[in-house]
Amino acid sequence: MAKEFTRVDRLSQQMQQEIAVILQREIKDPRLHNMITVSDVDVSRDLSHAKIFVTFLGLEADKVKANLDILNDACGYVRSLIAKRIQARIVPTIRFYFDQSLDQGIHMANLVEQVRREDDKRRIEAGQEPDRKPKIDQDEDE
């Protein structure tokens, strides 16, 4: 029977939790945005490198690069804090990357909402009633 989680997966999860706490409580740089979310940690198979994917809630796109630079400048300090907190012989070198999936998801949701509003407007202009319930909910009611 194969293991449910590999060592790499367990280390990724543990690092994600620890880095989230470290960024919230330990990093005291006033230039750094205070709403940082660690969305994923990708550890290489040999455990030597880790990509830390972060999102900045409510931050303008032009300030994201500056915040990433601040985090990457502090990656040695963050790595030393991780080494003290986890039980591992090898602590990967870390690098921070911006996770665009949250922004893309919000953008897609806005596009869908815009199309639905335009569709409702066209229905009203055609003398029909706007579609208020999604098709999935209509099937459940019947």
Side-chain angles (χ1 to χ4, degrees):
M1 185 172 170
K3 290 183 181 179
E4 194 170 323
F5 295 102
T6 64
R7 182 176 182 195
V8 173
D9 293 336
R10 291 191 309 265
L11 182 61
S12 294
Q13 289 175 354
Q14 188 174 10
M15 284 184 66
Q16 182 175 359
Q17 293 170 353
E18 294 299 332
I19 290 172
V21 171
I22 288 170
L23 292 178
Q24 186 178 41
R25 297 183 185 158
E26 303 291 330
I27 304 295
K28 302 292 185 194
D29 193 330
R31 301 171 297 162
L32 194 60
H33 187 63
N34 59 356
M35 294 293 290
I36 303 172
T37 304
V38 180
S39 58
D40 193 22
V41 175
D42 184 21
V43 178
S44 65
R45 289 184 62 140
D46 64 353
L47 307 177
S48 62
H49 301 285
K51 294 180 181 178
I52 314 300
F53 294 96
V54 294
T55 58
F56 303 98
L57 300 176
L59 188 65
E60 297 84 30
D62 58 337
K63 295 183 181 177
V64 168
K65 185 175 180 343
N67 276 268
L68 278 177
D69 290 341
I70 293 168
L71 287 175
N72 282 315
D73 287 343
C75 66
Y77 176 65
V78 172
R79 183 177 181 228
S80 68
L81 293 175
I82 293 170
K84 292 176 186 175
R85 294 175 183 223
I86 65 173
Q87 299 290 325
R89 186 171 53 99
I90 299 171
V91 177
T93 58
I94 62 173
R95 185 89 179 143
F96 290 94
Y97 296 91
F98 179 62
D99 184 10
Q100 296 179 351
S101 63
L102 180 66
D103 290 339
Q104 290 171 346
I106 291 170
H107 179 69
M108 292 298 289
N110 289 338
L111 288 175
V112 169
E113 183 60 32
Q114 179 183 0
V115 168
R116 291 194 73 186
R117 276 187 263 131
E118 289 173 5
D119 190 39
D120 285 346
K121 182 180 175 184
R122 287 187 183 134
R123 284 176 188 242
I124 291 170
E125 289 173 356
Q128 298 176 354
E129 212 171 290
D131 186 23
R132 292 288 173 205
K133 285 181 141 182
K135 197 168 192 114
I136 297 168
D137 291 341
Q138 288 176 354
D139 292 342
E140 290 175 0
D141 290 342
E142 295 175 357

